[in-house]
């Protein structure tokens, strides 16, 4: 999968790549960062009209609720790059009435999956290779100026999860809430994502069920104390709670904005300021309600030798993800931040639409009380997909 991993870097740099499937090749590029000169160069190289590729979530935001996973749009006339960006993620954009839509093939699906994994807006430009331009495109590939990847290889990379994690480095890092702490850094095979396990206490003295918290990175909340969320408080309270329980592990996962990345999270914040909730804002940009992959947490725990956990979470998806991966979640405990004027709507959305166990916390604000049991069934009783 080395070529597919390299494709992530090229797409993030704004470079096009060549995606191949049997009987068809296409040059694709991210709409994000695309300018008119790059768009013209793609069409000149391939000898074909560019098509806009959007995700089913973006199509739903545009009013097309029965779209396939990837949709290719033939637009005539083709808008300039600015117009393509508007169609890709602007809230009030509308599809031209005469746009021709076709269900995307493996190439379109692979393009969107790669962009999502690279934490770019999942919107692509695709140009098929005209027969009389095949030699010119082959020359670009041979020279190294254009990276060629099979759609199958790209899809396998994106469906395989984080791949083989490598334990890179570690050091003792005393924390205000837990002085006896050690940071262990893991790197994914694609070289893009790094995650940190904060090991609290003496490993030899851990209980049979190790206290664990999965915390997705949140630059705005964790570092700057943003009032829009409760992430920073949950992070620090999570460390303190694990320390009070005698030690355990906090996994700090590089999955900003529920997996969409910081740039897209800030785009979503702008849409929330216009009245959308967090889930609808992510859909406008083209993402699902949660793009995180908690398989990486399972691999980190495996490498740390943790088999049974007491999970500190309000999120049922985290419990299910670890259970399905084979980690025995024997119990869970709530871990709350403070409800403020600025984050109340965000927390209510997590409770009502994500199903988070926050109703006991929000009950103080006049919401219906509801909670999940502290003890949980063994993995064998959890339904499998």
């Amino acid at each position: 999968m080395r070529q597919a991993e390299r494709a992530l870097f090229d797409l993030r740099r704004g470079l096009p790549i060549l995606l191949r499937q049997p009987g068809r090749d296409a040059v694709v590029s991210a709409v994000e960062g695309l300018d008119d000169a790059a768009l013209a160069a793609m069409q000149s190289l391939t000898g074909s009209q560019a098509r806009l590729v959007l995700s089913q979530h973006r199509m739903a935001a545009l009013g097309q609720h029965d779209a396939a996973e990837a949709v290719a749009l033939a637009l005539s006339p083709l808008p300039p790059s600015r117009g393509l960006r508007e169609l890709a993620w602007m809230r009030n954009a509308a599809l031209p009435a005469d746009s021709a839509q076709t269900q995307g093939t493996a190439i379109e699906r692979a393009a969107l999956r790669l962009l999502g994994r690279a934490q770019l807006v999942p919107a692509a430009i695709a140009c098929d290779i005209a027969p009389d331009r095949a030699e010119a495109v082959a020359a670009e590939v041979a020279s190294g100026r254009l990276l060629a990847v099979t759609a199958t290889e790209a899809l396998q990379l994106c469906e395989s999860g984080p791949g083989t994690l490598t334990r890179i480095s570690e050091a003792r890092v005393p924390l205000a809430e837990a002085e006896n702490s050690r940071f262990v850094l893991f790197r994914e095979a694609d070289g893009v994502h790094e995650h940190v396990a904060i090991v609290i206490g003496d490993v030899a003295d851990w209980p049979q069920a190790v206290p664990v918290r999965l915390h997705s990175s949140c630059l705005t909340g964790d570092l700057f104390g943003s009032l829009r969320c409760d992430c920073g408080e949950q992070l620090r309270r999570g460390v303190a709670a694990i320390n009070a329980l005698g030690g355990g592990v906090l996994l700090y996962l590089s999955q900003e904005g529920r997996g969409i990345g910081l740039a897209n999270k800030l785009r979503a914040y702008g849409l929330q300021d216009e009245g959308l909730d967090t889930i609808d804002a992510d859909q406008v940009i083209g993402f699902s309600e949660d793009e995180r992959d908690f398989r990486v947490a399972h691999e980190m725990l495996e490498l740390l030798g943790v088999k049974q956990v007491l999970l500190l979470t309000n999120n049922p998806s985290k419990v299910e993800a670890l259970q399905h991966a084979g980690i025995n979640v024997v119990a869970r405990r709530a871990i709350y931040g403070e409800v403020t004027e600025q984050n109340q709507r965000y927390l209510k959305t997590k409770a009502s639409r994500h199903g988070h166990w926050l109703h006991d916390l929000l009950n103080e604000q006049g919401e219906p009380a509801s909670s999940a049991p502290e003890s949980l069934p063994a993995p064998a009783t959890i339904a499998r997909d």
Side-chain angles (χ1 to χ4, degrees):
M1 296 185 184
R2 293 297 182 185
Q3 292 293 89
E5 291 164 357
R6 285 183 55 199
L8 297 174
F9 289 96
D10 280 5
L11 290 169
R12 286 183 64 87
R13 293 166 59 203
L15 299 176
I17 63 172
L18 178 67
L19 282 174
R20 289 174 162 163
Q21 69 181 45
R24 180 185 169 215
D25 290 350
V27 173
V28 302
S29 182
V31 171
E32 183 176 349
L34 185 74
D35 59 28
D36 291 338
L39 178 60
M42 283 181 63
Q43 295 184 113
S44 176
L45 172 65
T46 61
S48 68
Q49 180 83 339
R51 289 170 294 112
L52 176 63
V53 183
L54 299 178
S55 72
Q56 63 184 146
H57 306 293
R58 176 57 180 168
M59 293 298 293
L62 292 170
Q64 305 287 321
H65 295 282
D66 57 349
E69 177 184 341
V71 175
L73 300 170
L75 306 171
S76 183
L78 183 71
S81 58
R82 179 176 179 179
L84 293 172
R85 289 193 293 274
E86 290 177 355
L87 288 172
W89 68 77
M90 295 300 179
R91 181 184 180 187
N92 295 319
L95 290 174
D98 58 349
S99 61
Q101 303 179 21
T102 57
Q103 180 173 323
T105 66
I107 283 177
E108 283 77 18
R109 295 196 304 273
L112 295 188
R113 298 273 190 94
L114 286 171
L115 291 172
R117 191 176 178 104
Q119 296 187 339
L120 299 170
V121 172
I125 282 295
C127 296
D128 285 347
I129 312 301
D132 63 343
R133 301 301 297 164
E135 289 187 7
V137 172
E140 291 293 299
V141 173
S143 69
R145 290 189 293 269
L146 182 65
L147 179 67
V149 186
T150 68
T152 297
E153 182 183 5
L155 289 169
Q156 286 176 346
L157 171 70
C158 297
E159 292 168 358
S160 64
T164 302
L165 285 178
T166 303
R167 188 166 175 163
I168 300 296
S169 60
E170 57 187 273
R172 190 177 71 87
V173 182
L175 301 176
E177 296 85 3
E179 187 172 340
N180 184 13
S181 298
R182 191 170 191 83
F183 279 43
V184 182
L185 184 136
F186 295 87
R187 182 175 295 149
E188 292 188 24
D190 63 15
V192 176
H193 301 98
E194 295 179 337
H195 313 276
V196 176
I198 303 169
V199 180
I200 300 169
D202 189 345
V203 175
D205 294 332
W206 279 351
Q208 185 176 10
V210 179
V212 170
R213 170 155 177 80
L214 278 55
H215 188 95
S216 297
S217 58
C218 176
L219 176 76
T220 51
D222 297 342
L223 185 59
F224 293 100
S226 167
L227 299 177
R228 299 187 74 126
C229 64
D230 60 343
C231 299
E233 287 184 340
Q234 281 196 314
L235 174 61
R236 283 172 278 280
R237 291 182 181 185
V239 171
I242 291 173
N243 189 57
L245 289 167
V249 181
L250 186 142
L251 301 183
Y252 195 80
L253 307 176
S254 178
Q255 299 189 135
E256 182 85 34
R258 292 192 304 277
I260 68 176
L262 180 60
N264 289 314
K265 184 175 84 167
L266 296 179
R267 289 186 178 104
Y269 276 177
L271 292 167
Q272 290 171 43
D273 289 341
E274 296 176 9
L276 298 183
D277 68 22
T278 179
I279 293 177
D280 290 338
D282 287 354
Q283 183 183 62
V284 166
I285 305 170
F287 292 100
S288 69
E289 64 183 39
D290 196 334
E291 295 284 339
R292 290 175 293 184
D293 186 344
F294 291 118
R295 286 177 291 182
V296 68
H298 163 248
E299 293 193 30
M300 293 172 73
L301 292 174
E302 285 270 311
L303 291 170
L304 292 169
V306 176
K307 299 294 185 182
Q308 298 188 74
V309 306
L310 162 63
L311 195 61
L312 280 64
T313 186
N314 311 316
N315 185 351
S317 295
K318 292 181 180 180
V319 175
E320 294 169 3
L322 290 187
Q323 292 276 38
H324 289 177
I327 298 291
N328 185 5
V329 184
V330 299
R332 79 105 196 171
R333 291 194 181 185
I335 186 78
Y336 296 142
E338 294 292 332
V339 180
T340 67
E341 177 183 352
Q342 293 89 348
N343 71 19
Q344 188 175 83
R345 183 183 179 209
Y346 164 75
L347 294 174
K348 288 181 178 179
T349 299
K350 289 209 294 186
S352 63
R353 300 192 66 184
H354 280 293
H356 287 206
W357 295 311
L358 292 171
H359 294 89
D360 285 341
L361 173 69
L362 294 174
N363 185 50
E364 299 176 6
Q365 311 296 319
E367 295 295 309
S370 174
S371 62
E374 295 285 299
S375 60
L376 296 163
T381 66
I382 297 289
R384 296 297 196 270
D385 292 333

